[in-house]
């Protein structure tokens, strides 16, 4: 087995030894590591290496601090491993996650293949066809809704306990978000009353209908945080790529809830129509818009938590 490269390398980003040890064994040396891109809660870098044959190979690393950082990188790694299993051409390959050595506070990393991407909106036909294939080809390992580790949308942990009922799973996930929101933004009687009615009446009626009258709902792997900031087009291949996943097995229409947000450019009907051309609408089809509105609430509450006192909460 080849020896790992020396720790002393060029660039403005200091690579922890554990990150270097996580690089593939066919790397002969690390050339440099430089800060790359922007992120709200972490530090990111591009690593340039040299293979044994002299060719260049690039990687991407993201580092988070503390216990929350550990949950974030572990969840992101596991989510992207699942997507890569189903659609390897849809996401840069996740390679490793782990804890850095000798840092205080503790620091955790996720290592991936690097993909140089455009920042433009993806071409709708290719993007929606690939997303539809991810949903169609994926299968829950338990046959239930949920995920095997917690995942985080932004810095907010999602309730991921396995559940055979989509209505039950969604209700528990929503309850976890609301509890977090009340802690961050304070009590609000009208809001809490609306949540209680939603859980007691709306969710059982609207989501329960997906699994009554002979209907069945198969859990599908979703990205979980899919908007224009978490996808791009490879400059090398022209293929649409996604990243920063916080996946779980869900009703596939859950993926579209974020697209209802006013701040998301996927709100354009072009993307919704193109996606639905590939997969169709779950029955009862005439309740699709009501379900989409309900799923959007999940993402709006998450944004309210991450941007305390924002207008999102009132809307």
């Amino acid at each position: 087995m080849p020896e790992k490269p020396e720790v002393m390398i060029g660039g403005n980003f200091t690579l922890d030894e554990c990150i270097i040890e996580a690089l593939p064994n066919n790397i002969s040396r690390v050339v440099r590591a430089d800060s790359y891109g922007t992120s709200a809660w972490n530090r990111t870098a591009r690593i340039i290496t040299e293979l044994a044959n002299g060719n260049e190979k690039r990687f991407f690393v993201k580092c988070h601090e503390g216990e929350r950082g550990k949950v974030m990188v572990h969840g992101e790694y596991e989510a992207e491993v699942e997507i890569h299993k189903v659609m390897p051409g849809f996401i840069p390959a996740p390679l490793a996650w782990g804890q850095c050595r000798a840092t205080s506070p503790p620091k955790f990393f996720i290592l991936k293949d690097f993909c140089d991407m455009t920042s433009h909106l993806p071409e709708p036909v290719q993007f929606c066809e690939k997303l539809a294939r991810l949903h169609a080809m994926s299968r829950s390992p338990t046959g239930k809704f949920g995920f095997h580790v917690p995942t985080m949308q932004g810095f907010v942990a999602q309730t991921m306990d396995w559940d055979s009922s989509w209505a039950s799973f969604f209700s528990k996930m929503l309850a976890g978000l609301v509890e977090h929101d009340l802690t961050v933004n304070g009590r609000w009687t009208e809001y809490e009353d609306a949540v209680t009615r939603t859980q007691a009446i709306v969710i059982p009626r609207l989501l329960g209908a997906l699994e009554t009258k002979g209907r069945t709902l198969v859990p599908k792997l979703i990205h979980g945080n899919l908007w224009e900031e978490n996808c791009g087009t490879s400059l090398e291949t022209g293929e649409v790529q996604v990243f920063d996943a916080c996946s779980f097995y869900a009703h596939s229409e859950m993926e579209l809830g974020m697209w209802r947000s006013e701040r998301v450019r996927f709100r354009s009907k072009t993307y919704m129509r193109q996606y639905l051309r590939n997969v169709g609408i779950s029955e009862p089809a005439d309740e699709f818009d009501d379900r989409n509105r309900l799923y959007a609430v999940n993402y709006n509450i998450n944004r309210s938590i991450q941007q305390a006192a924002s207008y999102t909460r009132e809307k």
Side-chain angles (χ1 to χ4, degrees):
M1 180 181 297
E3 292 184 3
K4 290 294 181 181
E6 294 293 327
V7 176
M8 298 300 293
I9 58 175
N12 65 6
F13 189 95
T14 302
L15 279 185
D16 184 88
E17 291 180 8
C18 289
I19 298 174
I20 295 176
E21 289 171 1
L23 290 167
N25 288 322
N26 62 344
I27 301 301
S28 64
R29 73 184 183 102
V30 178
V31 178
R32 62 185 298 116
D34 293 286
S35 296
Y36 186 89
T38 59
S39 181
W41 307 289
N42 53 70
R43 297 182 64 225
T44 55
R46 178 182 60 189
I47 305 170
I48 299 177
T49 69
E50 187 177 286
L51 301 175
N53 62 8
N55 290 340
E56 180 181 285
K57 174 68 175 175
R58 294 176 294 173
F59 302 92
F60 179 81
V61 68
K62 182 190 297 186
C63 298
H64 295 265
E65 291 185 351
E67 187 60 30
R68 183 171 73 181
K70 178 180 180 180
V71 176
M72 290 175 82
V73 298
H74 187 197
E76 182 177 335
Y77 173 78
E78 296 292 342
E80 296 187 352
V81 164
E82 292 299 298
I83 293 175
H84 195 263
K85 284 179 185 176
V86 180
M87 292 279 292
F90 197 30
I91 193 165
L95 302 175
W97 81 278
Q99 182 171 356
C100 295
R101 189 170 295 154
T103 61
S104 181
K107 185 183 295 181
F108 301 86
F109 71 89
I110 178 172
L111 179 70
K112 318 176 187 185
D113 276 346
F114 178 84
C115 180
D116 202 2
M117 305 182 202
T118 69
S119 58
H120 305 133
L121 281 171
E123 193 281 316
V125 173
Q126 183 196 153
F127 171 68
C128 293
E129 188 274 333
K130 294 179 85 168
L131 180 61
R133 270 198 287 143
L134 171 66
H135 293 165
M137 295 168 60
S138 58
R139 291 290 182 273
S140 167
T142 65
K144 298 179 179 181
F145 302 95
F147 206 61
H148 60 284
V149 298
T151 59
M152 301 182 77
Q153 188 184 152
F155 63 75
V156 180
Q158 304 181 113
T159 302
M160 291 287 104
D161 297 338
W162 295 109
D163 199 315
S164 58
S165 163
W166 171 240
S168 172
F169 174 85
F170 183 85
S171 184
K172 288 186 288 188
M173 182 170 64
L174 184 66
L177 282 173
V178 170
E179 182 179 357
H180 196 159
D181 186 35
L182 294 174
T183 300
V184 170
N185 288 307
R187 314 294 300 192
W188 183 6
T189 301
E190 293 83 359
Y191 170 52
E192 294 172 60
D193 289 344
V195 169
T196 298
R197 291 195 299 272
T198 298
Q199 290 185 301
I201 301 170
V202 178
I203 293 175
R205 163 62 187 83
L206 199 57
L207 303 189
L210 294 164
E211 300 180 275
T212 58
K213 297 183 179 179
R215 304 182 189 107
T216 58
L217 198 59
V218 179
K220 298 296 183 179
L221 184 68
I222 67 171
H223 177 283
N225 191 20
L226 192 53
W227 62 309
E228 61 270 12
E229 296 295 324
N230 287 341
C231 63
T233 302
S234 168
L235 292 172
E236 181 179 356
T237 67
E239 292 292 315
V240 174
Q241 300 282 296
V242 298
F243 50 91
D244 284 1
C246 55
S247 300
F248 55 99
Y249 290 90
H251 179 206
S252 57
E253 289 178 9
M254 178 73 188
E255 191 87 271
L256 312 180
M258 177 172 275
W259 297 6
R260 197 180 189 99
S261 171
E262 293 177 359
R263 70 187 178 93
V264 173
R265 288 188 287 166
F266 282 164
R267 195 170 188 232
S268 162
K269 292 182 180 178
T270 300
Y271 288 93
M272 186 77 78
R273 282 198 298 259
Q274 191 61 47
Y275 173 82
L276 294 175
R277 284 194 187 107
N278 286 282
V279 299
I281 298 174
S282 298
E283 294 292 342
D286 60 350
E287 295 179 356
F288 169 80
D289 191 63
D290 292 327
R291 293 192 298 267
N292 184 250
R293 189 186 303 274
L294 177 62
Y295 295 156
V297 168
N298 175 85
Y299 294 104
N300 286 338
I301 293 175
N302 185 285
R303 181 169 173 79
S304 172
I305 296 168
Q306 297 188 56
Q307 297 189 3
S310 73
Y311 75 96
T312 306
R313 197 182 199 219
E314 293 185 6
K315 292 178 72 70

